[in-house]
Amino acid sequence: MWQLFQFPLCPFSRKVRLVLAEKGVAHELVREYPWARRDEFIDLNPACETPVMVDTETGTSLIGSQPIIEFFEETVDKMPMIHGDAAHRAEIRRLVEWFDEKLFREVVEPIMNERMRKRIVDRAAPDTKMLREAMRIANGHLDYLDYLLDHRRWMAGAGLSLADFTAAAHLSVVDYLGGLDWRGHKQTKDWYSVMKSRPGFRPLLGERMEVIVPPQHYDKVDF
Amino acid sequence: MWQLFQFPLCPFSRKVRLVLAEKGVAHELVREYPWARRDEFIDLNPACETPVMVDTETGTSLIGSQPIIEFFEETVDKMPMIHGDAAHRAEIRRLVEWFDEKLFREVVEPIMNERMRKRIVDRAAPDTKMLREAMRIANGHLDYLDYLLDHRRWMAGAGLSLADFTAAAHLSVVDYLGGLDWRGHKQTKDWYSVMKSRPGFRPLLGERMEVIVPPQHYDKVDF
Ligand SMILES: N[C@@H](CCC(=O)N[C@@H](CS)C(=O)NCC(=O)O)C(=O)O
Ligand SMILES: N[C@@H](CCC(=O)N[C@@H](CS)C(=O)NCC(=O)O)C(=O)O
């Protein structure tokens, strides 16, 4: 049985969960807060980051969202995530990196720090200046997604791909934390509404991180 | 003809160049300083980062070191970089990510900022406290590589892989900038000496970034 070490508001774990659901890979969730720096978890992943997957039968461990997803992409045919010719696959991977690195660093991580980490770990008040700045940048990212969706059916082109699930995973965490203003982003809003209605997305939207309450619209497909 | 947009001290471009050389992919180098934020370059890559590759015949563009390398891995059989079974491929990708994200963020980027960017772009003096801290962390990373090489012939296991070329690319930039103290790291030093002697590595070691002079040992295979 595969175990996935994760916590509800980890965007990289959400990305993995969406892919596992689409591919139909059975797995068990194990709650892991990386900031607790549990010794056994550091032994598993010296970077001490979620997500990590462990096959309890063979002991195989997979570390990091992209290595995990490439693993299942190579071993499970159902629902290809990185598809098309080599150039299209490069475009999918470019966008995945854009979301995992640029969107994460500029928007998701600062908003997680201010609204989740400071509350749960540091028991401190958020820095409203940092928050406002991250939300301003978030708006620029939504503009870029609108632009992509003006030219393409899905994020990376004609077919639904890992780029869509990655974007949705990150945006869903920011949305949970009240960091997105959807006004003026009809293209991305419509696309996100379709993503939210996929069966694999429902369990994610139903979960709560203790003490942090998402906005009303968060788990609604129509919002 | 493939063009590679890069500059000599960009570790991600070095990673791509080492792979192109091993695979025998003909290409032309185009010097690009991302901090100049050239309009035509932003049109090519909205993230305004090197490396980018463009096929001048078809107009295909590939953006980011990992998408570029996965592209050539899929289209050129020579010298497989991500090999073995799916679990081994996940281990190669884990280490590539470790070097591209963790080693880069904690060591390579701060040392590039202090010793290259401040000198060339900002014309400011380096912050010696920041530098010392990055070099201290570099030492911890070398310890981790020593540990890996105590247990394995190459970084990710029995075979030479992308993990080795990625580590060598990042370390070579830090070494150029005088940020590595090799004393006490015999395993990694021996491994790096083997990496340096690969034909694809020689041209890299011969190039210079204007005004910045590397230490004496930098381009010696025996150092
Ligand atoms: N590149 C990694 C990034 C994983 C990551 O940054 N995870 C965060 C949680 S969202 C983490 O564990 N951070 C360490 C911490 O919070 O202490 C991946 O794609 O899996
Ligand atoms: N994830 C990217 C990272 C590329 C990157 O960070 N490149 C640096 C140069 S080493 C860059 O262009 N930074 C922007 C700047 O210096 O203005 C990759 O693997 O290619």
Side-chain angles (χ1 to χ4, degrees):
Chain A
M1 176 58 126
W2 283 107
Q3 292 186 322
L4 171 64
F5 292 77
Q6 55 74 243
F7 63 94
L9 286 181
C10 170
F12 302 98
S13 304
R14 288 186 170 219
K15 173 189 171 197
V16 167
R17 289 177 65 184
L18 292 174
V19 169
L20 295 178
E22 295 284 342
K23 287 187 172 284
V25 177
H27 60 282
E28 189 178 280
L29 297 176
V30 181
R31 183 72 68 107
E32 183 75 45
Y33 296 128
W35 53 84
R37 302 191 62 80
R38 207 164 53 85
D39 286 341
E40 293 82 357
F41 188 61
I42 298 179
D43 287 344
L44 213 47
N45 178 8
C48 194
E49 290 176 347
T50 49
V52 170
M53 285 188 81
V54 174
D55 180 341
T56 52
E57 269 127 67
T58 62
T60 298
S61 64
L62 308 174
I63 293 166
S65 66
Q66 203 55 22
I68 291 172
I69 287 167
E70 300 269 2
F71 177 95
F72 289 105
E73 186 70 0
E74 291 171 0
T75 53
V76 180
D77 288 338
K78 190 178 167 193
M79 186 69 191
M81 287 283 154
I82 307 171
H83 46 64
D85 64 16
H88 186 64
R89 293 160 66 89
E91 174 63 0
I92 295 172
R93 288 196 176 95
R94 172 184 82 87
L95 285 169
V96 169
E97 214 182 278
W98 176 283
F99 302 131
D100 280 349
E101 291 180 19
K102 207 169 162 63
L103 177 65
F104 178 69
R105 199 174 50 236
E106 295 176 356
V107 175
V108 189
E109 190 175 38
I111 292 181
M112 286 176 74
N113 278 340
E114 298 309 322
R115 287 247 163 101
M116 181 198 76
R117 208 172 169 111
K118 282 201 177 161
R119 175 123 185 224
I120 299 187
V121 189
D122 312 328
R123 300 188 187 268
D127 177 334
T128 50
K129 209 173 136 241
M130 291 275 276
L131 253 179
R132 251 202 314 272
E133 176 61 7
M135 286 168 73
R136 194 185 61 75
I137 301 175
N139 204 51
H141 276 275
L142 290 179
D143 285 340
Y144 184 52
L145 300 191
D146 290 341
Y147 162 84
L148 289 176
L149 294 167
D150 268 340
H151 295 83
R152 304 165 163 184
R153 171 72 187 90
W154 299 98
M155 289 294 165
L160 174 64
S161 77
L162 184 59
D164 299 281
F165 292 104
T166 307
H170 285 280
L171 290 182
S172 71
V173 171
V174 182
D175 200 35
Y176 187 114
L177 296 170
L180 293 180
D181 182 351
W182 289 100
R183 286 170 303 175
H185 299 290
K186 179 162 168 32
Q187 294 90 324
T188 308
K189 197 166 177 261
D190 289 347
W191 160 88
Y192 187 51
S193 165
V194 174
M195 295 304 291
K196 269 176 153 179
S197 64
R198 294 194 74 84
F201 220 125
R202 311 297 311 159
L204 283 184
L205 293 173
E207 275 170 35
R208 294 294 173 266
M209 185 88 179
E210 55 265 35
V211 305
I212 305 174
V213 181
Q216 278 276 325
H217 72 261
Y218 166 72
D219 55 7
K220 310 266 185 300
V221 167
D222 281 315
F223 60 103
Chain B
M1 175 59 125
W2 283 106
Q3 292 186 322
L4 172 64
F5 292 78
Q6 55 76 241
F7 64 94
L9 286 181
C10 170
F12 302 99
S13 303
R14 287 186 171 220
K15 173 189 171 198
V16 167
R17 290 177 66 183
L18 293 173
V19 170
L20 295 178
E22 295 285 342
K23 287 187 172 283
V25 177
H27 61 281
E28 190 178 278
L29 297 177
V30 180
R31 182 74 67 105
E32 183 73 46
Y33 295 129
W35 52 85
R37 302 192 62 81
R38 207 165 52 85
D39 286 341
E40 294 81 358
F41 188 61
I42 298 179
D43 287 344
L44 213 50
N45 179 8
C48 195
E49 291 177 346
T50 51
V52 170
M53 284 188 82
V54 174
D55 181 341
T56 53
E57 269 128 68
T58 62
T60 298
S61 65
L62 309 174
I63 294 166
S65 67
Q66 203 55 23
I68 292 173
I69 287 167
E70 301 269 2
F71 177 95
F72 289 105
E73 186 71 0
E74 290 171 0
T75 54
V76 180
D77 288 338
K78 189 178 168 194
M79 185 71 190
M81 287 282 154
I82 307 171
H83 46 64
D85 63 17
H88 186 63
R89 294 162 65 90
E91 174 65 0
I92 295 172
R93 289 198 176 93
R94 172 184 82 86
L95 285 170
V96 168
E97 213 182 279
W98 177 281
F99 302 132
D100 280 349
E101 291 180 18
K102 209 170 161 61
L103 177 65
F104 178 69
R105 199 173 51 236
E106 296 177 354
V107 175
V108 189
E109 190 174 38
I111 292 181
M112 286 176 74
N113 279 340
E114 298 308 323
R115 287 247 163 101
M116 181 197 76
R117 209 173 167 111
K118 283 202 176 161
R119 176 125 183 223
I120 298 187
V121 189
D122 313 327
R123 301 189 185 268
D127 177 334
T128 50
K129 207 171 138 244
M130 290 276 275
L131 254 178
R132 251 202 313 272
E133 176 61 7
M135 286 168 73
R136 194 185 61 73
I137 300 175
N139 204 51
H141 276 275
L142 289 178
D143 285 341
Y144 183 52
L145 300 191
D146 290 341
Y147 161 84
L148 289 175
L149 293 167
D150 268 340
H151 295 84
R152 303 165 165 186
R153 170 73 188 86
W154 299 97
M155 288 294 164
L160 175 62
S161 78
L162 184 59
D164 300 281
F165 293 104
T166 306
H170 285 280
L171 290 182
S172 71
V173 171
V174 182
D175 200 35
Y176 186 115
L177 296 171
L180 292 180
D181 182 350
W182 289 101
R183 286 170 303 176
H185 300 289
K186 181 162 167 27
Q187 295 91 325
T188 308
K189 197 165 179 262
D190 289 347
W191 159 89
Y192 187 50
S193 166
V194 174
M195 294 304 290
K196 269 177 153 178
S197 63
R198 294 194 75 83
F201 220 125
R202 310 298 309 159
L204 283 184
L205 294 173
E207 275 170 36
R208 294 293 173 267
M209 184 88 179
E210 54 264 37
V211 307
I212 304 173
V213 181
Q216 279 276 326
H217 72 260
Y218 165 71
D219 54 8
K220 311 266 184 300
V221 167
D222 281 316
F223 59 103

